[in-house]
Amino acid sequence: MEMQEHEKFMRMAIELSAHNVKQAAGGPFGAVIVKDGMVVARSANKVIQQNDPTAHAEISAIRLACQELGTHTLEGCIIYTSCEPCPMCLGAIYWARIDTIYYGNTKTDAASIGFDDHFIYLELGRPMHQRKLQIVQLLRDEALPVFKLWESSESKTDY
């Protein structure tokens, strides 16, 4: 794909982010997912609209793309996002197996307008017992047999 095509799709993501702000629909973020030069899905940030803290533009676009393509992986796809993905979205992009990320604004740009994920990056680097969020392991002996059941299941789908 030529740079002009990449720029076209990035402009779509930026337009989605601008439209979201102009319509007072949510944060200034947009994402477009493309496969074989065709738009598969697009979404703006829907956190406020859906009362869902996970409804970032990238996550919403991934959900739509998977529905559209009838798959749980997006191999062969490219995501264009108006801002460098946050840790949650980056994780989802990895899980979806998207091939490439193109982004506009940086995480520093986002932090400068109040969308600061720096504390999450710091937290992820700390041992669990030093994190601000209390994390307690409970009933591992009861939970572990389910993993063994999955491991031996003939109906499992690897992902």
Side-chain angles (χ1 to χ4, degrees), residues 128-147:
M128 279 195 265
H129 70 279
Q130 291 180 0
R131 294 180 188 171
K132 291 180 182 174
L133 178 64
Q134 186 177 12
I135 303 172
V136 181
Q137 186 176 21
L138 187 63
L139 298 177
R140 180 176 183 256
D141 292 340
E142 292 181 32
L144 200 53
V146 180
F147 276 17

Side-chain angles (χ1 to χ4, degrees), residues 83-99:
C83 186
E84 183 177 355
C86 74
M88 175 184 69
C89 292
L90 186 58
I93 291 166
Y94 272 105
W95 277 112
R97 296 193 178 102
I98 291 173
D99 292 356

Side-chain angles (χ1 to χ4, degrees), residues 7-18:
E7 290 174 357
K8 176 181 83 172
F9 296 126
M10 178 57 76
R11 284 187 180 101
M12 287 181 188
I14 294 167
E15 287 171 20
L16 283 166
S17 68

Side-chain angles (χ1 to χ4, degrees), residues 29 31 43-48 50-63 79 81 83-98 101 107 115-124:
F29 306 99
S43 184
N45 178 285
K46 296 179 180 293
V47 169
I48 302 303
Q50 296 181 354
N51 293 317
D52 179 354
T54 69
H56 290 197
E58 298 93 335
I59 301 277
S60 298
I62 287 169
R63 290 173 179 159
I79 189 165
T81 179
C83 186
E84 183 177 355
C86 74
M88 175 184 69
C89 292
L90 186 58
I93 291 166
Y94 272 105
W95 277 112
R97 296 193 178 102
I98 291 173
I101 301 169
K107 62 185 175 185
F115 294 94
D116 191 354
D117 298 324
H118 184 69
F119 77 97
I120 297 174
Y121 289 104
L122 290 176
E123 286 285 290
L124 292 174

Side-chain angles (χ1 to χ4, degrees), residues 20-57:
N20 218 38
V21 173
K22 291 173 186 173
Q23 298 299 312
F29 306 99
V32 175
I33 297 177
V34 173
K35 185 170 186 171
D36 300 326
M38 303 292 295
V39 174
V40 176
R42 65 183 88 203
S43 184
N45 178 285
K46 296 179 180 293
V47 169
I48 302 303
Q49 287 174 302
Q50 296 181 354
N51 293 317
D52 179 354
T54 69
H56 290 197

